[in-house]
Short mmCIF file of all heavy atoms in Angstrom, two decimals:
data_model
loop_
_atom_site.label_atom_id
_atom_site.label_comp_id
_atom_site.label_asym_id
_atom_site.label_seq_id
_atom_site.Cartn_x
_atom_site.Cartn_y
_atom_site.Cartn_z
N MET N 1 -24.88 38.93 134.83
CA MET N 1 -24.45 39.49 133.44
C MET N 1 -23.11 38.70 133.22
O MET N 1 -22.18 38.66 134.00
CB MET N 1 -24.24 41.01 133.75
CG MET N 1 -23.11 41.57 132.88
SD MET N 1 -23.31 43.27 133.13
CE MET N 1 -22.00 43.88 131.96
N VAL N 2 -22.98 38.28 131.98
CA VAL N 2 -21.82 37.38 131.64
C VAL N 2 -20.92 38.23 130.81
O VAL N 2 -21.17 38.73 129.73
CB VAL N 2 -22.30 36.23 130.75
CG1 VAL N 2 -21.17 35.34 130.33
CG2 VAL N 2 -23.32 35.34 131.57
N LYS N 3 -19.60 38.38 131.25
CA LYS N 3 -18.57 38.97 130.57
C LYS N 3 -17.94 37.92 129.72
O LYS N 3 -17.78 36.80 130.04
CB LYS N 3 -17.53 39.48 131.57
CG LYS N 3 -17.74 40.91 132.00
CD LYS N 3 -16.91 41.27 133.15
CE LYS N 3 -15.55 41.79 132.86
NZ LYS N 3 -14.81 42.14 134.01
N LYS N 4 -17.56 38.31 128.50
CA LYS N 4 -16.83 37.56 127.58
C LYS N 4 -15.41 37.98 127.40
O LYS N 4 -15.17 39.18 127.32
CB LYS N 4 -17.58 37.44 126.23
CG LYS N 4 -18.88 36.62 126.36
CD LYS N 4 -18.92 35.65 125.17
CE LYS N 4 -20.04 34.54 125.44
NZ LYS N 4 -19.97 33.64 124.45
N VAL N 5 -14.57 37.13 127.23
CA VAL N 5 -13.17 37.38 126.81
C VAL N 5 -12.81 36.73 125.58
O VAL N 5 -13.25 35.69 125.25
CB VAL N 5 -12.22 37.05 127.98
CG1 VAL N 5 -12.45 37.88 129.16
CG2 VAL N 5 -12.27 35.61 128.33
N ALA N 6 -11.95 37.37 124.83
CA ALA N 6 -11.40 36.77 123.48
C ALA N 6 -10.13 35.87 123.91
O ALA N 6 -9.39 36.26 124.81
CB ALA N 6 -11.21 37.83 122.53
N LEU N 7 -9.95 34.92 123.18
CA LEU N 7 -8.70 34.14 123.23
C LEU N 7 -7.88 34.46 121.99
O LEU N 7 -8.25 34.26 120.83
CB LEU N 7 -8.97 32.65 123.33
CG LEU N 7 -9.67 32.13 124.60
CD1 LEU N 7 -9.91 30.64 124.59
CD2 LEU N 7 -8.90 32.51 125.83
N GLU N 8 -6.68 35.01 122.23
CA GLU N 8 -5.83 35.44 121.16
C GLU N 8 -4.70 34.42 120.95
O GLU N 8 -4.00 34.04 121.91
CB GLU N 8 -5.31 36.83 121.49
CG GLU N 8 -4.46 37.50 120.45
CD GLU N 8 -3.91 38.84 121.04
OE1 GLU N 8 -2.89 38.69 121.81
OE2 GLU N 8 -4.49 39.83 120.82
N CYS N 9 -4.42 34.09 119.65
CA CYS N 9 -3.36 33.17 119.40
C CYS N 9 -2.00 33.91 119.58
O CYS N 9 -1.78 35.00 119.23
CB CYS N 9 -3.44 32.81 117.88
SG CYS N 9 -1.97 31.94 117.27
N SER N 10 -1.05 33.26 120.31
CA SER N 10 0.23 33.82 120.62
C SER N 10 1.20 33.80 119.47
O SER N 10 2.13 34.47 119.48
CB SER N 10 0.82 33.03 121.84
OG SER N 10 1.08 31.72 121.46
N GLN N 11 0.88 33.03 118.42
CA GLN N 11 1.61 32.96 117.24
C GLN N 11 1.34 34.13 116.22
O GLN N 11 2.29 34.80 115.77
CB GLN N 11 1.46 31.63 116.56
CG GLN N 11 1.84 30.43 117.48
CD GLN N 11 3.22 30.27 117.67
OE1 GLN N 11 4.07 30.11 116.84
NE2 GLN N 11 3.64 30.30 118.98
N CYS N 12 0.04 34.22 115.86
CA CYS N 12 -0.31 35.16 114.86
C CYS N 12 -1.05 36.40 115.46
O CYS N 12 -1.20 37.34 114.73
CB CYS N 12 -1.06 34.54 113.73
SG CYS N 12 -2.72 34.03 114.36
N GLY N 13 -1.51 36.34 116.70
CA GLY N 13 -2.12 37.47 117.33
C GLY N 13 -3.53 37.63 117.03
O GLY N 13 -4.19 38.64 117.43
N ARG N 14 -4.14 36.68 116.25
CA ARG N 14 -5.58 36.84 115.89
C ARG N 14 -6.44 36.30 117.09
O ARG N 14 -6.15 35.28 117.62
CB ARG N 14 -5.93 36.05 114.68
CG ARG N 14 -5.27 36.72 113.45
CD ARG N 14 -5.63 35.87 112.21
NE ARG N 14 -4.54 35.99 111.26
CZ ARG N 14 -4.79 36.61 110.09
NH1 ARG N 14 -5.94 37.19 109.82
NH2 ARG N 14 -3.82 36.73 109.21
N ARG N 15 -7.61 36.88 117.14
CA ARG N 15 -8.56 36.41 118.11
C ARG N 15 -9.60 35.42 117.55
O ARG N 15 -10.34 35.67 116.67
CB ARG N 15 -9.43 37.57 118.69
CG ARG N 15 -8.42 38.55 119.35
CD ARG N 15 -9.19 39.75 119.85
NE ARG N 15 -8.24 40.56 120.66
CZ ARG N 15 -8.57 41.57 121.39
NH1 ARG N 15 -9.90 41.93 121.47
NH2 ARG N 15 -7.60 42.37 121.92
N ASN N 16 -9.38 34.20 117.98
CA ASN N 16 -10.07 32.96 117.39
C ASN N 16 -11.22 32.54 118.08
O ASN N 16 -12.15 31.94 117.59
CB ASN N 16 -9.08 31.94 117.10
CG ASN N 16 -7.82 32.29 116.24
OD1 ASN N 16 -8.08 32.93 115.31
ND2 ASN N 16 -6.75 31.91 116.70
N TYR N 17 -11.26 32.72 119.35
CA TYR N 17 -12.29 32.15 120.22
C TYR N 17 -12.82 33.27 121.18
O TYR N 17 -12.01 34.11 121.59
CB TYR N 17 -11.79 30.96 121.06
CG TYR N 17 -11.34 29.83 120.18
CD1 TYR N 17 -10.01 29.71 119.81
CD2 TYR N 17 -12.18 28.89 119.83
CE1 TYR N 17 -9.59 28.60 119.11
CE2 TYR N 17 -11.76 27.87 119.05
CZ TYR N 17 -10.41 27.68 118.66
OH TYR N 17 -10.05 26.59 117.80
N SER N 18 -14.02 33.08 121.67
CA SER N 18 -14.48 33.89 122.83
C SER N 18 -15.11 32.93 123.78
O SER N 18 -15.82 32.00 123.44
CB SER N 18 -15.39 35.04 122.43
OG SER N 18 -16.56 34.59 121.97
N VAL N 19 -14.81 33.16 125.08
CA VAL N 19 -15.28 32.30 126.12
C VAL N 19 -15.87 33.26 127.15
O VAL N 19 -15.45 34.38 127.31
CB VAL N 19 -14.19 31.44 126.69
CG1 VAL N 19 -13.65 30.43 125.63
CG2 VAL N 19 -13.04 32.22 127.20
N PRO N 20 -16.78 32.68 128.01
CA PRO N 20 -17.29 33.36 129.13
C PRO N 20 -16.15 33.62 130.16
O PRO N 20 -15.39 32.67 130.47
CB PRO N 20 -18.34 32.66 129.67
CG PRO N 20 -18.36 31.32 128.94
CD PRO N 20 -17.50 31.48 127.81
N ALA N 21 -16.04 34.80 130.78
CA ALA N 21 -15.07 35.12 131.71
C ALA N 21 -15.40 34.38 133.05
O ALA N 21 -16.54 34.29 133.36
CB ALA N 21 -14.94 36.61 131.94
N ARG N 22 -14.37 33.92 133.71
CA ARG N 22 -14.59 33.29 135.02
C ARG N 22 -14.37 34.36 136.03
O ARG N 22 -13.28 34.85 136.22
CB ARG N 22 -13.65 32.16 135.16
CG ARG N 22 -14.17 30.89 134.72
CD ARG N 22 -13.14 30.05 134.28
NE ARG N 22 -12.89 30.35 132.88
CZ ARG N 22 -12.44 29.63 131.89
NH1 ARG N 22 -12.26 28.34 132.16
NH2 ARG N 22 -12.33 30.04 130.72
N PRO N 23 -15.44 34.60 136.88
CA PRO N 23 -15.31 35.67 137.89
C PRO N 23 -14.31 35.36 139.03
O PRO N 23 -13.77 36.24 139.59
CB PRO N 23 -16.72 35.83 138.40
CG PRO N 23 -17.46 34.67 137.95
CD PRO N 23 -16.75 34.05 136.79
N ASN N 24 -14.00 34.05 139.21
CA ASN N 24 -13.15 33.62 140.21
C ASN N 24 -11.66 33.85 139.91
O ASN N 24 -10.84 33.84 140.74
CB ASN N 24 -13.35 32.20 140.64
CG ASN N 24 -14.73 32.02 141.21
OD1 ASN N 24 -15.26 32.88 141.79
ND2 ASN N 24 -15.25 30.87 141.27
N ARG N 25 -11.49 33.97 138.58
CA ARG N 25 -9.98 33.97 138.15
C ARG N 25 -9.60 35.50 137.89
O ARG N 25 -10.15 36.13 137.03
CB ARG N 25 -9.88 33.24 136.84
CG ARG N 25 -9.76 31.81 137.03
CD ARG N 25 -9.40 31.30 135.75
NE ARG N 25 -9.39 29.74 135.79
CZ ARG N 25 -8.29 29.08 135.66
NH1 ARG N 25 -7.19 29.61 135.58
NH2 ARG N 25 -8.36 27.72 135.78
N GLU N 26 -8.42 35.77 138.52
CA GLU N 26 -7.92 37.10 138.23
C GLU N 26 -6.76 36.94 137.14
O GLU N 26 -6.63 37.77 136.29
CB GLU N 26 -7.19 37.58 139.54
CG GLU N 26 -8.30 38.14 140.49
CD GLU N 26 -9.19 39.32 139.89
OE1 GLU N 26 -8.59 40.12 139.27
OE2 GLU N 26 -10.36 39.28 140.14
N GLU N 27 -6.11 35.84 137.17
CA GLU N 27 -4.92 35.62 136.26
C GLU N 27 -5.42 35.27 134.87
O GLU N 27 -6.53 34.81 134.78
CB GLU N 27 -4.00 34.57 136.80
CG GLU N 27 -4.45 33.11 136.63
CD GLU N 27 -5.31 32.71 137.95
OE1 GLU N 27 -5.76 33.54 138.65
OE2 GLU N 27 -5.35 31.50 138.10
N ARG N 28 -4.59 35.48 133.92
CA ARG N 28 -5.01 35.22 132.52
C ARG N 28 -4.84 33.68 132.28
O ARG N 28 -3.89 33.06 132.62
CB ARG N 28 -4.08 35.97 131.59
CG ARG N 28 -4.29 37.40 131.66
CD ARG N 28 -4.30 38.13 130.46
NE ARG N 28 -4.74 39.52 130.54
CZ ARG N 28 -4.57 40.48 129.64
NH1 ARG N 28 -3.86 40.12 128.54
NH2 ARG N 28 -4.95 41.62 129.86
N LEU N 29 -5.86 33.41 131.52
CA LEU N 29 -6.02 31.90 131.19
C LEU N 29 -5.12 31.72 129.84
O LEU N 29 -5.11 32.47 129.01
CB LEU N 29 -7.44 31.71 130.86
CG LEU N 29 -7.97 30.39 130.55
CD1 LEU N 29 -7.83 29.41 131.71
CD2 LEU N 29 -9.41 30.43 130.12
N GLU N 30 -4.43 30.53 129.88
CA GLU N 30 -3.75 30.15 128.60
C GLU N 30 -4.21 28.81 128.23
O GLU N 30 -4.23 27.82 129.07
CB GLU N 30 -2.19 30.14 128.90
CG GLU N 30 -1.67 31.45 129.07
CD GLU N 30 -0.11 31.54 128.91
OE1 GLU N 30 0.43 30.44 128.87
OE2 GLU N 30 0.36 32.56 129.04
N LEU N 31 -4.62 28.60 126.96
CA LEU N 31 -5.18 27.37 126.53
C LEU N 31 -4.52 26.89 125.16
O LEU N 31 -4.27 27.87 124.34
CB LEU N 31 -6.73 27.51 126.31
CG LEU N 31 -7.59 27.75 127.51
CD1 LEU N 31 -9.00 28.02 126.98
CD2 LEU N 31 -7.59 26.47 128.44
N ASN N 32 -4.41 25.64 125.05
CA ASN N 32 -3.91 25.18 123.74
C ASN N 32 -5.06 24.89 122.89
O ASN N 32 -5.94 24.09 123.26
CB ASN N 32 -3.13 23.85 123.94
CG ASN N 32 -1.73 23.97 123.52
OD1 ASN N 32 -1.39 24.73 122.59
ND2 ASN N 32 -0.84 23.11 124.16
N LYS N 33 -5.15 25.68 121.75
CA LYS N 33 -6.33 25.52 120.78
C LYS N 33 -5.84 25.58 119.48
O LYS N 33 -4.79 26.00 119.16
CB LYS N 33 -7.32 26.75 121.16
CG LYS N 33 -8.09 26.49 122.40
CD LYS N 33 -9.42 27.28 122.29
CE LYS N 33 -10.39 27.03 123.41
NZ LYS N 33 -11.41 26.12 123.04
N PHE N 34 -6.69 25.12 118.51
CA PHE N 34 -6.36 25.02 117.14
C PHE N 34 -6.62 26.42 116.61
O PHE N 34 -7.71 27.04 116.62
CB PHE N 34 -7.21 24.00 116.42
CG PHE N 34 -6.79 23.89 114.95
CD1 PHE N 34 -5.67 23.14 114.58
CD2 PHE N 34 -7.51 24.45 113.93
CE1 PHE N 34 -5.28 22.99 113.31
CE2 PHE N 34 -7.17 24.39 112.68
CZ PHE N 34 -5.97 23.65 112.33
N CYS N 35 -5.51 26.99 115.93
CA CYS N 35 -5.64 28.27 115.22
C CYS N 35 -5.72 27.86 113.78
O CYS N 35 -4.81 27.29 113.16
CB CYS N 35 -4.42 29.04 115.45
SG CYS N 35 -4.47 30.62 114.58
N LYS N 36 -6.72 28.29 112.99
CA LYS N 36 -6.99 27.97 111.68
C LYS N 36 -6.05 28.86 110.75
O LYS N 36 -5.76 28.52 109.65
CB LYS N 36 -8.50 28.19 111.26
CG LYS N 36 -8.95 29.61 111.26
CD LYS N 36 -10.45 29.62 110.92
CE LYS N 36 -10.98 31.02 111.21
NZ LYS N 36 -12.45 31.07 110.94
N HIS N 37 -5.59 29.98 111.27
CA HIS N 37 -4.69 30.89 110.57
C HIS N 37 -3.28 30.26 110.57
O HIS N 37 -2.60 30.31 109.61
CB HIS N 37 -4.66 32.33 111.20
CG HIS N 37 -6.01 32.87 111.13
ND1 HIS N 37 -6.71 33.23 110.05
CD2 HIS N 37 -6.92 33.03 112.24
CE1 HIS N 37 -7.80 33.73 110.42
NE2 HIS N 37 -8.01 33.63 111.72
N CYS N 38 -2.89 29.74 111.71
CA CYS N 38 -1.56 29.07 111.80
C CYS N 38 -1.63 27.63 111.31
O CYS N 38 -0.63 26.99 110.88
CB CYS N 38 -1.00 28.93 113.22
SG CYS N 38 -0.82 30.66 113.96
N GLY N 39 -2.84 26.98 111.29
CA GLY N 39 -2.98 25.64 110.86
C GLY N 39 -2.54 24.60 111.78
O GLY N 39 -2.16 23.47 111.44
N LYS N 40 -2.42 24.96 113.08
CA LYS N 40 -1.87 24.08 114.13
C LYS N 40 -2.36 24.49 115.48
O LYS N 40 -2.98 25.58 115.66
CB LYS N 40 -0.41 23.97 114.09
CG LYS N 40 0.27 25.40 114.38
CD LYS N 40 1.71 25.31 114.29
CE LYS N 40 2.30 26.74 114.59
NZ LYS N 40 3.73 26.75 114.51
N MET N 41 -2.04 23.65 116.49
CA MET N 41 -2.41 23.93 117.88
C MET N 41 -1.48 25.00 118.35
O MET N 41 -0.18 24.86 118.24
CB MET N 41 -2.29 22.71 118.74
CG MET N 41 -3.22 21.64 118.36
SD MET N 41 -5.00 21.87 118.81
CE MET N 41 -4.97 21.79 120.60
N THR N 42 -1.92 26.05 118.96
CA THR N 42 -0.97 27.10 119.49
C THR N 42 -1.58 27.52 120.80
O THR N 42 -2.76 27.16 121.23
CB THR N 42 -0.92 28.36 118.64
OG1 THR N 42 -2.23 28.94 118.54
CG2 THR N 42 -0.46 27.97 117.27
N VAL N 43 -0.81 28.16 121.59
CA VAL N 43 -1.31 28.72 122.90
C VAL N 43 -2.18 29.91 122.71
O VAL N 43 -1.73 30.87 121.89
CB VAL N 43 -0.02 29.17 123.78
CG1 VAL N 43 -0.56 29.79 124.95
CG2 VAL N 43 0.83 27.90 124.13
N HIS N 44 -3.35 29.93 123.30
CA HIS N 44 -4.21 31.15 123.18
C HIS N 44 -4.36 31.82 124.48
O HIS N 44 -4.55 31.08 125.48
CB HIS N 44 -5.56 30.63 122.60
CG HIS N 44 -5.58 30.47 121.17
ND1 HIS N 44 -4.91 29.32 120.55
CD2 HIS N 44 -6.21 31.03 120.10
CE1 HIS N 44 -5.16 29.37 119.31
NE2 HIS N 44 -5.95 30.40 119.03
N ARG N 45 -4.17 33.16 124.56
CA ARG N 45 -4.21 33.81 125.83
C ARG N 45 -5.51 34.69 125.84
O ARG N 45 -6.07 35.15 124.85
CB ARG N 45 -3.06 34.86 125.96
CG ARG N 45 -1.68 34.02 126.09
CD ARG N 45 -0.70 34.98 126.71
NE ARG N 45 0.60 34.23 126.70
CZ ARG N 45 1.38 34.41 125.78
NH1 ARG N 45 1.10 35.17 124.80
NH2 ARG N 45 2.48 33.66 125.77
N GLU N 46 -6.00 34.74 127.07
CA GLU N 46 -7.20 35.54 127.39
C GLU N 46 -6.82 36.96 127.15
O GLU N 46 -5.81 37.50 127.55
CB GLU N 46 -7.56 35.23 128.72
CG GLU N 46 -8.97 35.54 129.11
CD GLU N 46 -9.26 35.10 130.56
OE1 GLU N 46 -9.43 33.93 130.78
OE2 GLU N 46 -9.20 36.00 131.41
N THR N 47 -7.80 37.73 126.53
CA THR N 47 -7.53 39.16 126.43
C THR N 47 -8.95 39.84 126.88
O THR N 47 -9.89 39.18 127.06
CB THR N 47 -7.38 39.57 124.94
OG1 THR N 47 -8.52 39.24 124.24
CG2 THR N 47 -6.15 38.99 124.30
N ARG N 48 -8.84 41.09 127.04
CA ARG N 48 -10.18 41.83 127.48
C ARG N 48 -10.47 42.84 126.52
O ARG N 48 -9.61 43.57 126.02
CB ARG N 48 -10.03 42.46 128.85
CG ARG N 48 -9.97 41.35 129.83
CD ARG N 48 -9.77 41.98 131.22
NE ARG N 48 -9.37 40.79 132.06
CZ ARG N 48 -9.80 40.71 133.30
NH1 ARG N 48 -10.59 41.63 133.79
NH2 ARG N 48 -9.37 39.72 133.98
ZN1 ZN G 101 -2.56 31.73 114.95
#
């Protein structure tokens, strides 16, 4: 069974992406992704 987590923009707080959760990882993932609301690359954090 695949768990999914949302990636939330650290600038505007919107959830822009969802990715499959990695069972091996306990810590939160941080990724640089493009936020269409901010119009630029921002840090996105994993949420549950
Ligand atoms: Zn944003």
Side-chain angles (χ1 to χ4, degrees):
M1 150 174 182
V2 180
K3 267 164 89 177
K4 286 228 168 184
V5 294
L7 294 180
E8 183 183 85
C9 174
S10 62
Q11 303 287 301
C12 68
R14 290 179 209 250
R15 295 178 180 191
N16 302 314
Y17 297 93
S18 71
V19 294
R22 267 146 279 209
N24 294 336
R25 278 191 186 246
E26 288 298 318
E27 74 273 19
R28 293 218 171 166
L29 190 64
E30 291 194 357
L31 292 175
N32 242 333
K33 287 203 168 257
F34 184 80
C35 177
K36 66 183 174 184
H37 303 287
C38 297
K40 61 183 180 182
M41 301 289 286
T42 63
V43 175
H44 284 67
R45 291 203 187 89
E46 201 175 276
T47 64
R48 288 180 198 220

